[in-house]
Amino acid sequence: MAAYFLRRLLLIIPTLWAIITLNFFIVQIAPGGPVDQALANIQFGQTTGLPGGGGESGARASLNRASPGDSQYRGARGLDPEVIAEIKKRYGFDKPMWQRYVEMLWNYLRFDFGDSLFRSASVLQLIKESLPVSVSLGLWSTLIIYLVSIPLGIKKAVRNGSAFDVWSSTFVIIGYSIPAFLFGIMLIVLFAGGSYLDWFPLRGLTSPQFDSLSWFGKIGDYLWHISLPVLATVIGGFATLTMLTKNSFLDEIRKQYVVTARAKGVSERRILYHHVFRNAMLLVIASFPATFISMFFTSSVLIEVMFSLNGLGLLGYDATIQRDYPVMFGTLYIFTLIGLLMNILSDLTYTLVDPRIDFEGR
């Protein structure tokens, strides 16, 4: 089994390489990169801090003395070639694509993601500031899903085929079919000052006066801010775990040892919680890493953007809009690495809770 997990760990390297390589070349050939945006800013007069004479007057002077010429940048028409060369050098596009690619791979092997093109901070610093928000949202969502789905799944198994089973299945499936972003919009409209009630804040995980609050006040303020984002995230997560719990318990209830225990006069409650529960929960507990991955990736973009949560999803979204390539690839690298490690942890959990499972033999 150790050899299997060692191979899984080694496979992370080519998987990361393939994902980063594919996205690197796709992004490089896409129009509207940082150089194009800088040139567009000059054309539209937003020239503060750009090369070419220091500010708006220098950029306009470069426009006046420029002569039309061929350029790979559509926004560069009519600009001084020296200005274009300076902008390309600033953003690292004065080097050939293959050289930028090789340098990026070497830096990523050392977890050196460079600096943001449009923020005065390193990519690693931005990720460190954003990662706890995404992890917090993912953990709360996973915890709530487990606290609701496991008791619900057990009750559905015990009352299989009843009206409660049918109606609860209907509600969890309806929740599963509602996209998280659509439910988030509904929550904002209803409870965050959209059109009706103004009970919850719309932005961030804490209030501006968070540092001045007491310890108890900080907890309340945090829970107040995270309520709607977590609720929007978990709405579609109950169905899978509820049905998994129900089916797992049904399989155990129908086994011979349960029939034998009933024949001996053991109470149903003792059979359910002392025999069936221990065996049926193996699969449910082992699925925790996979559930966390689902919540972590699902919530990262849409929910963080909608509720202005400074997590990895919002960071990657802003970087994509701004064409901040170091931040884009840095967040993608971290997302992929966390996902691959959590998948390995999920397999490891299965083998720990049920030694009969042998991934290496399969």
Side-chain angles (χ1 to χ4, degrees):
M1 186 60 64
Y4 168 78
F5 286 105
L6 179 60
R7 289 198 300 269
R8 288 291 303 273
L9 287 172
L10 292 176
L11 279 174
I12 290 179
I13 298 175
T15 304
L16 278 174
W17 170 79
I19 293 175
I20 291 297
T21 299
L22 180 63
N23 284 272
F24 175 84
F25 287 105
I26 290 176
V27 169
Q28 293 297 318
I29 63 177
V35 176
D36 285 316
Q37 292 202 9
L39 295 172
N41 288 337
I42 295 178
Q43 296 280 25
F44 286 99
Q46 302 172 5
T47 56
T48 303
L50 293 173
E56 186 174 355
S57 60
R60 287 180 176 174
S62 67
L63 284 171
N64 293 331
R65 68 174 181 266
S67 58
D70 296 333
S71 174
Q72 61 175 320
Y73 297 104
R74 295 170 59 186
R77 297 171 182 172
L79 289 182
D80 191 339
E82 294 181 0
V83 176
I84 301 172
E86 181 63 26
I87 294 175
K88 290 171 64 177
K89 183 178 180 180
R90 168 180 292 192
Y91 295 123
F93 282 81
D94 57 327
K95 303 175 183 177
M97 184 184 299
W98 67 268
Q99 186 176 348
R100 300 199 304 269
Y101 170 70
V102 172
E103 289 180 355
M104 184 193 71
L105 290 182
W106 171 243
N107 291 333
Y108 278 27
L109 286 175
R110 299 177 290 131
F111 278 84
D112 180 10
F113 303 122
D115 297 325
S116 170
L117 299 180
F118 303 105
R119 306 188 188 191
S120 56
S122 66
V123 175
L124 197 58
Q125 179 183 346
L126 293 173
I127 292 176
K128 287 181 179 179
E129 294 173 355
S130 303
L131 186 59
V133 177
S134 297
V135 172
S136 175
L137 190 57
L139 285 176
W140 275 113
S141 302
T142 305
L143 178 62
I144 292 175
I145 288 174
Y146 266 75
L147 291 177
V148 174
S149 297
I150 291 178
L152 180 60
I154 295 174
K155 191 169 184 179
K156 285 173 64 63
V158 173
R159 301 178 61 178
N160 183 41
S162 65
F164 171 80
D165 182 32
V166 174
W167 283 106
S168 58
S169 296
T170 302
F171 284 121
V172 296
I173 292 174
I174 291 175
Y176 182 75
S177 64
I178 299 176
F181 75 91
L182 186 60
F183 191 67
I185 293 174
M186 186 179 71
L187 292 176
I188 292 173
V189 172
L190 293 177
F191 302 112
S195 298
Y196 298 93
L197 304 174
D198 192 8
W199 289 353
F200 294 92
L202 183 57
R203 294 179 175 275
L205 282 183
T206 56
S207 300
Q209 68 276 13
F210 180 79
D211 293 334
S212 62
L213 297 176
S214 62
W215 182 80
F216 184 77
K218 289 181 178 179
I219 296 178
D221 183 74
Y222 170 76
L223 295 177
W224 182 46
H225 280 76
I226 205 173
S227 297
L228 293 188
V230 168
L231 187 58
T233 304
V234 303
I235 184 63
F238 295 117
T240 301
L241 188 61
T242 299
M243 295 306 178
L244 176 64
T245 305
K246 175 190 174 181
N247 295 331
S248 181
F249 270 78
L250 283 177
D251 289 340
E252 293 296 325
I253 289 173
R254 295 165 180 167
K255 289 185 177 179
Q256 185 62 41
Y257 74 89
V258 176
V259 177
T260 303
R262 285 173 178 165
K264 291 181 178 180
V266 181
S267 65
E268 288 293 329
R269 184 177 182 84
R270 183 174 180 83
I271 292 174
L272 182 63
Y273 290 103
H274 285 75
H275 300 283
V276 175
F277 186 86
R278 181 177 58 185
N279 295 325
M281 286 302 295
L282 292 177
L283 187 61
V284 177
I285 294 173
S287 65
F288 180 87
T291 305
F292 173 75
I293 292 174
S294 176
M295 293 298 101
F296 182 77
F297 286 102
T298 300
S299 66
S300 292
V301 181
L302 294 175
I303 300 302
E304 290 179 9
V305 171
M306 290 175 59
F307 291 94
S308 300
L309 302 178
N310 188 26
L312 276 183
L314 181 60
L315 179 65
Y317 173 80
D318 289 339
T320 303
I321 296 298
Q322 298 174 351
R323 299 297 195 272
D324 195 344
Y325 290 163
V327 179
M328 285 175 58
F329 292 122
T331 53
L332 174 66
Y333 187 89
I334 295 299
F335 266 129
T336 306
L337 182 60
I338 292 176
L340 293 172
L341 291 176
M342 292 300 292
N343 279 324
I344 296 176
L345 180 61
S346 179
D347 290 347
L348 180 61
T349 308
Y350 277 110
T351 60
L352 291 177
V353 300
D354 190 352
R356 296 172 299 178
I357 297 177
D358 184 7
F359 288 104
E360 188 171 10
R362 295 175 60 187

